[in-house]
Amino acid sequence: MSKENQPQSLTDAPKSVQLAVDLIQLLEENNIDTDTAIEALQITLDDFKRKQQQTD
């Protein structure tokens, strides 16, 4: 979702909210099963938390 197409409130939203909206849109547009999406997001979250711990 490009910023030109986003409502003003989303354009002004924190980057994390913008990313979440983009991820939701991507998953929904590709008809990703809810259980698959949750599992993939958990794997992604675990990976980023591990990377964050390595840099702290």
Side-chain angles (χ1 to χ4, degrees), residues 23-44:
L23 291 170
I24 292 166
Q25 182 179 7
L26 177 68
L27 294 168
E28 289 180 350
E29 287 177 352
N30 287 282
N31 298 314
I32 303 300
D33 173 72
T34 302
D35 291 335
T36 302
I38 291 170
E39 189 175 339
L41 290 167
Q42 187 62 57
I43 292 167
T44 304

Side-chain angles (χ1 to χ4, degrees), residues 38-52:
I38 291 170
E39 189 175 339
L41 290 167
Q42 187 62 57
I43 292 167
T44 304
L45 180 59
D46 292 344
D47 182 63
F48 274 88
K49 284 184 175 183
R50 191 169 27 258
K51 289 177 184 175
Q52 184 181 44

